[in-house]
């Protein structure tokens, strides 16, 4: 046992370090195999869009009475911890934990020695629903020689199992409590107890209240919280995620994309607009059929799922697209959208030209787009306007198009 620890165990006073007040040890060195490993150990799995430990750190670091915070992590988790704690990096000290919870707490306490807080709280990283009221109750119950344990009375009837798998006896639940964290203690007596247990090779303690009991440090029970659950199983992680997500204002994931295209006229006998061939004295110049309406719509659809633009999928330098019908491009974009779970809500195209007249062909264009997109005609809008004789369009040198597409994707977006 260190000299400082021995002095505190004997009741001698120590001068608090620069932070003083309330120190915290967050235990986060476990592997959490029972909760699955898809996103790493359970303390780094995501609930409500953030790592479990991030929620835990937020609660403690936002509490006005909390001073220095040490987090005991696994040697393999430095990068995971750095990402999870990046918003609080300047207020945290990370130490590599030990092979057991008891060993990790001891190492965390040793890291607080120079700060010499008057009181210390020890908390499991995988209890992200601890609240300020529970922290307050625990702190208030700690004094120079007494610790505090938040706990809930046991509500279930308890049975002891025999070696054969049968009920051996019913255990009275009177006076029994389920322990929670944070558990709080006067700093130096707790460190002294951990150091003594370490030097004696006693490693069987599953929480700090058990070490305190062994070291004859009185521990007062304070009311715990039914919300302060420990996330142990994969199902616990899933339920915690649902709990946080359901508490957030959310909106349907509706995305809107825009597209713009323009093509110049060249000699010909028709133009193709929105999939319909319209007799005219010229045609539009382009590598495919130069359908400006469908080109703009293709870009609008691709924009709703971040899939690049028409040139990404159909490079004009590729000879296979020479003279191709632009409905191929729209149908490809619509297939990508549906492949990501999207439902096309509507498509709106504005054609900008002095000629030819679009109005007589609007119904045919709408039917063509309905077939390409697989949506009802009433979800399609095709409009035409002139450029009031201004610019290249106004001079009759070409046609431009603007398209907007709205797509509903699975899931919701937090407020």
């Amino acid at each position: 046992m260190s000299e400082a620890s021995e002095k505190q165990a004997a009741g001698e006073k120590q001068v608090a370090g620069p932070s003083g007040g309330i120190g915290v040890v967050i235990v986060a060195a476990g592997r959490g195999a029972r909760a699955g490993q898809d996103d790493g150990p359970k303390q780094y799995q995501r609930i409500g869009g953030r790592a479990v430990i991030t929620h835990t750190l937020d609660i403690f670091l936002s509490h006005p009475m909390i001073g220095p915070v040490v987090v005991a992590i696994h040697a393999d988790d430095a990068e995971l911890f750095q990402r999870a704690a990046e918003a609080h990096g300047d207020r945290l000290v990370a130490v590599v934990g030990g092979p057991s919870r008891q060993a990790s707490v001891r190492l965390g306490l040793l890291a607080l020695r120079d700060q010499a807080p008057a009181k210390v709280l020890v908390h499991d990283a995988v209890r992200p629903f601890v609240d300020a009221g529970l922290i307050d109750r625990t702190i208030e119950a700690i004094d120079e020689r007494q610790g505090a344990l938040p706990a809930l009375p046991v509500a279930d009837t308890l049975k002891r199992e025999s070696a054969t798998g049968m009920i051996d006896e019913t255990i009275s639940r009177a006076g029994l409590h389920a322990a929670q964290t944070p558990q709080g203690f006067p700093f130096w007596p707790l460190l002294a107890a951990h150091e003594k247990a370490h030097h004696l090779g006693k490693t069987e303690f599953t929480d700090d209240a058990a070490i305190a009991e062994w070291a004859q440090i009185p521990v007062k029970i304070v009311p715990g919280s039914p919300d302060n659950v420990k996330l142990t199983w994969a199902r616990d992680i899933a339920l915690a995620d649902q709990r946080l997500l359901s508490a957030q204002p959310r909106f349907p994931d509706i995305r809107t994309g825009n597209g713009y295209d323009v093509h110049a006229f060249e000699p010909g006998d028709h133009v193709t607009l929105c999939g319909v061939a319209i007799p005219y004295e010229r045609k539009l110049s382009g590598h495919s059929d130069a359908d400006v309406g469908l080109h703009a719509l293709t870009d609008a659809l691709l924009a709703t799922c971040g899939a690049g633009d028409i040139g990404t999928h159909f490079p004009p330098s590729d000879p296979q697209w020479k003279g191709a019908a632009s409905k191929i491009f729209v149908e490809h974009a619509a297939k990508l959208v549906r492949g990501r779970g999207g439902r096309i809500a509507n498509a709106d195209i504005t054609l900008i030209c002095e000629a030819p007249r679009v109005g007589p062909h609007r119904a045919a264009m709408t039917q063509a787009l309905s077939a390409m997109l697989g949506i009802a005609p009433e979800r399609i809008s095709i409009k035409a306007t002139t450029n009031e004789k201004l610019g290249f369009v106004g001079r009759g040198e070409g046609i431009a198009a603007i398209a907007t597409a709205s797509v509903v994707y699975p899931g919701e977006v937090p407020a």
Side-chain angles (χ1 to χ4, degrees):
M1 190 184 306
S2 68
E3 180 180 353
S5 299
E6 289 176 345
K7 289 180 179 179
Q8 283 305 310
E12 297 185 21
K13 293 183 178 180
Q14 292 283 329
V15 178
S19 295
I22 314 298
V24 178
V25 174
I26 303 289
V27 189
R31 295 293 79 199
R34 287 174 290 181
Q37 295 289 314
D38 288 346
D39 297 316
K42 59 187 177 182
Q43 58 269 35
Y44 299 107
Q45 294 191 32
R46 301 178 77 79
I47 58 173
R50 299 187 300 161
V52 169
I53 191 173
T54 304
H55 294 275
T56 304
L57 293 172
D58 283 352
I59 296 297
F60 282 93
L61 292 171
S62 64
H63 194 287
M65 295 180 67
I66 298 303
V69 177
V70 172
V71 186
I73 67 173
H74 193 277
D76 295 339
D77 294 345
E79 186 175 343
L80 286 170
F81 175 72
Q82 185 176 10
R83 288 201 300 266
E86 59 184 352
H88 305 296
D90 58 338
R91 289 195 58 192
L92 299 171
V93 173
V95 298
V96 175
S100 66
R101 184 187 189 281
Q102 179 182 334
S104 294
V105 173
R106 172 180 169 269
L107 293 168
L109 293 171
L110 289 172
L112 279 174
R113 222 170 12 182
D114 290 342
Q115 302 287 344
K119 304 176 182 180
V120 63
L121 302 177
V122 181
H123 186 70
D124 298 324
V126 290
R127 288 185 185 268
F129 297 117
V130 61
D131 58 64
L134 178 55
I135 294 173
D136 289 339
R137 292 194 295 276
T138 305
I139 291 173
E140 289 170 4
I142 305 169
D143 63 26
E144 292 181 357
R145 298 182 181 276
Q146 173 182 284
L149 167 71
L152 293 174
V154 172
D156 296 324
T157 298
L158 301 176
K159 305 290 184 179
R160 189 185 303 279
E161 181 185 7
S162 71
T164 61
M166 305 297 288
I167 293 175
D168 188 50
E169 64 174 316
T170 298
I171 301 172
S172 172
R173 65 190 182 206
L176 294 182
H177 288 74
Q180 298 184 337
T181 67
Q183 298 178 9
F185 304 89
F187 176 74
W188 291 105
L190 181 64
L191 176 57
H194 268 278
E195 288 282 71
K196 182 178 180 181
H198 173 70
H199 290 299
L200 291 177
K202 297 186 70 64
T203 60
E204 68 272 21
F205 302 109
T206 56
D207 71 353
D208 299 282
I211 286 188
E213 180 184 356
W214 170 75
Q216 298 184 335
I217 301 171
V219 179
K220 179 178 178 60
I221 291 179
V222 299
S225 167
D227 292 331
N228 185 28
V229 294
K230 184 177 181 180
L231 307 185
T232 303
W233 307 95
R235 182 174 182 273
D236 299 334
I237 301 290
L239 290 175
D241 185 47
Q242 292 176 15
R243 171 179 171 179
L244 289 172
L245 291 178
S246 64
Q248 300 176 12
R250 304 183 71 80
F251 302 95
D253 188 1
I254 301 175
R255 309 179 196 175
T256 300
N258 294 312
Y260 174 82
D261 193 38
V262 60
H263 284 284
F265 283 122
E266 66 179 15
D269 60 5
H270 75 280
V271 295
T272 301
L273 295 175
C274 295
V276 175
I278 302 173
Y280 189 58
E281 60 192 28
R282 290 178 289 176
K283 69 174 184 176
L284 292 172
S285 175
H287 192 59
S288 62
D289 62 7
D291 189 329
V292 289
L294 296 190
H295 291 187
L297 179 59
T298 299
D299 276 348
L301 290 168
L302 294 173
T304 67
C305 55
D309 59 18
I310 191 170
T312 304
H313 300 266
F314 306 98
S317 58
D318 190 336
Q320 71 173 307
W321 308 122
K322 183 174 178 62
S326 295
K327 66 174 291 186
I328 297 172
F329 309 155
V330 172
E331 290 171 346
H332 173 78
K335 183 178 180 181
L336 284 178
V337 166
R338 288 192 295 270
R340 301 185 187 195
R343 292 182 293 113
I344 301 171
N346 81 293
D348 178 38
I349 299 174
T350 300
L351 299 170
I352 309 167
C353 60
E354 302 298 321
R357 290 186 62 204
V358 170
H361 308 282
R362 183 177 288 113
M365 294 177 179
T366 300
Q367 288 299 323
L369 281 171
S370 176
M372 292 179 215
L373 300 175
I375 61 176
E378 60 264 26
R379 294 184 177 273
I380 297 167
S381 172
I382 299 172
K383 307 184 299 294
T385 186
T386 70
N387 220 36
E388 299 295 338
K389 304 295 183 181
L390 299 176
F392 71 92
V393 171
R395 292 191 298 270
E397 297 173 5
I399 299 178
I402 299 172
T404 302
S406 294
V407 178
V408 182
Y409 284 91
E412 297 175 318
V413 179

